[in-house]
Amino acid sequence: MSTEIPRYFGLLRLAFDQALTAILDDVGPHHPALRSAHLQLFRFGGIDGSHTAELAAHAGMTKQSMHELVTHLERNGYLVREVDPADSRARLVRLTATGRKLEHQISNAIAATLDAWEERLGTDRFDALWTTLQELTGSTTPLPDRSLIRTEPGQQRTGRGGGHVVP
């Protein structure tokens, strides 16, 4: 196999990794315990009230791996787990005040990353990129309204038709 083939496929991952790095560079100085893997919890919108298994499924990782991420964030004061009133065997993930602040900072960093991509590409090419990503992934999530992503902590963080997504 040509060494070029994995390299081409790697461009998709490289763009994602660069976005994660930009987001972590933005929020990381205020949260030294945070690693890029922890951003997996915040990829699909609000995590407050979710089960670890749901978060794992959304992030495409094992329950055990997600449990490790949740445990780390719990130890560092970003969230707590509490009994699910609907099922005493299950635990819900709940953000603490510090976790809500982090969620807000991640939302702002996501918006800043999208702004940087649009500035670099121009509006037409950026919109075409989003449309292309929708087609490739089968997603119908419209381009997020970045003014809605940049809400105050504790407010609903939805764009035009969906939650925020780490690019």
Side-chain angles (χ1 to χ4, degrees):
M1 171 171 35
S2 168
T3 58
E4 293 297 313
I5 292 171
R7 187 176 182 190
Y8 296 136
F9 183 69
L11 285 175
L12 297 171
R13 181 60 193 232
L14 181 60
F16 179 74
D17 288 347
Q18 287 176 344
L20 280 178
T21 298
I23 292 162
L24 189 59
D25 286 350
D26 195 349
V27 299
H30 307 289
H31 304 278
L34 191 68
R35 303 288 176 263
S36 61
H38 300 121
L39 295 176
Q40 300 298 325
L41 274 80
F42 297 91
R43 284 177 52 193
F44 298 99
I47 65 172
D48 200 47
S50 298
H51 295 105
T52 303
E54 293 171 321
L55 296 172
H58 284 303
M61 57 183 13
T62 66
K63 292 179 204 175
Q64 294 82 3
S65 295
M66 183 57 69
H67 176 76
E68 289 178 26
L69 294 177
V70 167
T71 298
H72 178 83
L73 291 173
E74 187 174 32
R75 282 187 193 134
N76 285 279
Y78 294 105
L79 54 87
V80 295
R81 285 178 272 201
E82 60 184 42
V83 175
D84 182 344
D87 180 358
S88 62
R89 298 167 297 160
R91 301 286 178 266
L92 297 175
V93 172
R94 294 288 185 195
L95 291 171
T96 63
T98 302
R100 290 192 190 287
K101 182 177 179 182
L102 172 61
E103 183 180 52
H104 174 64
Q105 290 169 341
I106 289 171
S107 293
N108 283 339
I110 290 167
T113 298
L114 293 172
D115 288 346
W117 284 8
E118 184 173 17
E119 184 177 315
R120 183 174 180 181
L121 298 174
T123 300
D124 290 342
R125 288 178 63 212
F126 178 75
D127 289 348
L129 171 65
W130 192 267
T131 300
T132 301
L133 290 172
Q134 286 179 303
E135 290 172 12
L136 289 172
T137 62
S139 172
T140 58
T141 303
L143 183 63
D145 180 337
R146 279 159 269 162
S147 68
L148 295 175
I149 294 173
R150 289 183 176 100
T151 59
E152 290 304 311
Q155 289 182 340
Q156 184 71 19
R157 281 176 182 69
T158 58
R160 290 178 272 166
H164 63 272
V165 176
V166 173

